Amino acid sequence: MSHAIDPAAFGKLLADYTPAKGSSDELLDANGHVRPVWGPFLKHLAGLSADEVAQRFARGSQYLNDAGVYFRYYEEEGTSERAWPLSHIPLLIDRDDWQTITEGLVQRAELLEEVVADLYGQNRLIADGHLPASLIAKSPEWLRPMVGVQPRTGKYLHFLAFEIGRGPDGKWWVLGDRTQAPSGAGFALENRVATAKTFSDFYAKAHVHRLAGFFRRFRETLLNLRGETDSRVAILTPGLMNDTYFEHAYIARYLGFMLLDGEDLVVSNGSLMVRTIAGLRPISVLWRRLDANWADPLELNEQSQIGTPGMVEALRGGGLTMINALGAGVLETRALLAFLPRICRHLRGEPLKLPNIATWWCGDQRTRNYVSDNFGKMTISRSLSTGLPFTIGPNDVLGGNLNSSNRADFSAWLETEQDALVGQEAVTLSTTPAYADGKLVPRPMSLRVFLARTESGWEVMSGGFARIGGSDDASALAMQSGGRAADVWILGGSPTNSETLIPKQDGPYVRSRPSLLPARAADNLFWLGRYVERAEGALRLLRAFHARVAETGEPEAPMTAAIAAHLAQLGLDLEQPIPPGLQATLNSALASASKVRDRFSIDGWLALNDLAHTLAAERARPGLDSEDATLVMGALLRKITGFSGLVHENMYRFAGWRFLSLGRALERAQVMCGLLSEFADAEAPDGALDLLLEVGDSTLSLNQRYAVTLSRDPVMDLLGLDTFNPRSILYQLKELRSHVEALPGADFNGQPSPLARATLELYAQLAVQTPDSLTSEKLEDLRGKILSLSEGLFTAYIR
């Protein structure tokens, strides 16, 4: 029964909503009536003014911006991070319709498991003629070294995604199988949060099926796959430059798993181990998010620089579960879709409940003839391609674009290439509402649905990730082509329970053990601390320089010249008011932070990004003089100290916080050594002591502690030897000593480690000094020893 719609109330909203002829639509049925599942939402939307809609959309987009959600965009000039393109109108699906999808995809998941098990096991499908041997043997995704390697769990597939679409007849079709390293589940979560914030009042009452339970049960399954071992679950990422790296970091943080790349791992005695600051620790379950070929340069792609040598050996040894098994990507082969309907009948004695897009492999004459006769209704592409039908590659041919003049060339090409080609029915996707210019408009869409193997079998996420076309062109669904993303709401049935990721507690509460800190993460956190502190010190010096030039108009005066010379030693060239070296330092801090996104707070990341972007904007401002630069440095200084306070006050006191603090303390101590060595020297120009107090943010402290005329000794005492002043060298050495002594291996049978001994010696060496004995020579010597602690830290915990 159609949902009654008042034309007067909904006329404006649906004024331009005219689905294309010959296609199905999610909002309107074949008779042009609004489908019942959309009725309440449309009533809610029609009751909002254009300004209210704009405010709500802005609220959802602001959440994504604040959460740092992005995707990596590839273009000829390089890559860039783009804001997440949310289509704010969700895709609504009725519960009964969803049940049909669920049953079909669970059957398909079981079928794919049987197929991949056969391809790497008995190989009966090829032997019995159900699959052509050449199709599998030529596929770069079929990995010969994995033949006969039985997964530890007995299952090859654990996490799947299926791209589906609704055809012109209103039935759902599978467009492609994602078995390699399916992406999008994390983005589905963020789409849900953003859309729920956009329509918070409606969402709370709409009984939308929740997502958290799906992730909780999959997380529990992965943890249980460890067995009784004291091992860890980790997520393997190809790295920062991957287009879905944000999702890798997000899922790792959401599920509480370590995010690792290939260099974090090593195979030792047949077991996969992660390099941590406490030594090698075992990994028994690895959820890989990189293509299998790159996982092991020893036995797979020898050119891989992002894999781990020996990964295949670890799998053969039976001590590692891979999600999904290496080689499972062969199931994504486009031509395989031509054979799956027949294979399903052969293996399971039933037809596919959810058919896939009609596909013809051109490896035999009969199908080639059929493709040649019907090419106008097809897309012709490479048979071994693993792309989706709506992602038209440079070597693909849209049959509808051919005419009689090039028909002969096409037929010759078909006969020449033969088994290298596959024909697929041209995709006519259904449309779904998107919002544009105050109205709803139909846009082509496809839906990515996720399945996870749990202890009770395959579970389908109650929702997913919808791709919405940026135009009427169905080939422009991909993000790289201007497509957008939408949340998927499954509606119907009784009120849904509010599930969370936290499992129910059956026994007494037990505090979880501290997380392991990979050596690479420790290194990046250490350098993040150093770079941020280095940038702060540079800002203080630059502000002091420009303030003096603005006041006196004499950049060549002895004091300003001395500051400029010191800045030059730090790589800060003052040919520009804001030197490029400052931007380079902040960019280095961002690079370090980006590599530990799973361990770094979202607020901290956004604050650091905002700082770098603000600096870049100020550097590009024309006509910047010293007066302006002084104000800019002050504003940036407030931002960077705000960032430092945000991170250091809110970061959990695990080992990661210690390495961040070690970097900060080491950099501050060595910088102050350099400043005191130069500006507390007897040869320093007039005003040098004032500069030290200004840069050391200690003028007020000096006035409160010392009722004396400004002289070298109180300044040296305050900035060099005062254990209560967080700007002093001795205070920072005390911090270094405290953090190092708390690290793993700092004490062995009552004996301090070399690094712990070195920090203790440095602290004691400075603690016995007096202001008059702390000469420039001693300060330079101390500075060199402080810097050498960085090498000691690397040797002990990173290398």
Side-chain angles (χ1 to χ4, degrees), residues 181-246:
S183 63
F187 290 125
L189 275 171
E190 289 288 38
N191 289 341
R192 171 59 54 87
V193 177
T195 308
K197 288 181 179 295
T198 302
F199 299 106
S200 54
D201 45 355
F202 181 84
Y203 179 82
K205 303 174 183 178
H207 304 162
V208 180
H209 294 209
R210 302 299 196 251
L211 305 181
F214 172 86
F215 287 96
R216 174 171 58 80
R217 286 180 282 278
F218 185 52
R219 180 179 185 271
E220 291 170 353
T221 299
L222 295 185
L223 290 172
N224 290 338
L225 288 177
R226 297 173 302 168
E228 301 297 323
T229 63
D230 184 28
S231 59
R232 301 292 175 124
V233 179
I235 296 175
L236 179 63
T237 176
L240 179 64
M241 299 309 293
N242 185 265
D243 58 345
T244 57
Y245 176 76
F246 167 83

Side-chain angles (χ1 to χ4, degrees), residues 706-721:
Y706 302 93
V708 296
T709 304
L710 182 62
S711 63
R712 179 185 186 276
D713 281 358
V715 171
M716 186 63 77
D717 186 53
L718 184 63
L719 295 177
L721 303 172

Side-chain angles (χ1 to χ4, degrees), residues 18 125 131 253 280 287 327 332 376 391 420 443 492 523 612 624 715:
T18 308
L125 290 174
L131 274 174
R253 185 166 54 236
L280 297 179
W287 185 2
E332 296 185 2
T391 54
R443 290 286 184 262
D523 189 38
L624 197 69
V715 171

Side-chain angles (χ1 to χ4, degrees), residues 148-203:
V149 179
Q150 181 74 12
R152 187 168 64 126
T153 62
K155 301 295 183 182
Y156 289 79
L157 305 176
H158 296 268
F159 193 85
L160 301 174
F162 296 98
E163 204 79 24
I164 66 174
R166 198 194 293 267
D169 59 357
K171 296 180 180 179
W172 290 96
W173 294 76
V174 174
L175 306 176
D177 306 305
R178 303 288 92 184
T179 59
Q180 177 75 266
S183 63
F187 290 125
L189 275 171
E190 289 288 38
N191 289 341
R192 171 59 54 87
V193 177
T195 308
K197 288 181 179 295
T198 302
F199 299 106
S200 54
D201 45 355
F202 181 84
Y203 179 82

Side-chain angles (χ1 to χ4, degrees), residues 594-641:
S594 66
K595 295 173 183 175
V596 286
R597 286 287 294 271
D598 58 314
R599 298 175 177 272
F600 202 60
S601 78
I602 293 173
D603 287 336
W605 170 256
L606 292 174
L608 191 58
N609 254 305
D610 176 60
L611 182 64
H613 291 156
T614 302
L615 175 60
E618 293 294 348
R619 288 190 66 239
R621 181 151 60 106
L624 197 69
D625 59 17
S626 283
E627 185 99 28
D628 297 326
T630 303
L631 297 174
V632 169
M633 294 303 118
L636 291 173
L637 192 56
R638 288 188 291 275
K639 284 195 173 190
I640 201 168
T641 52

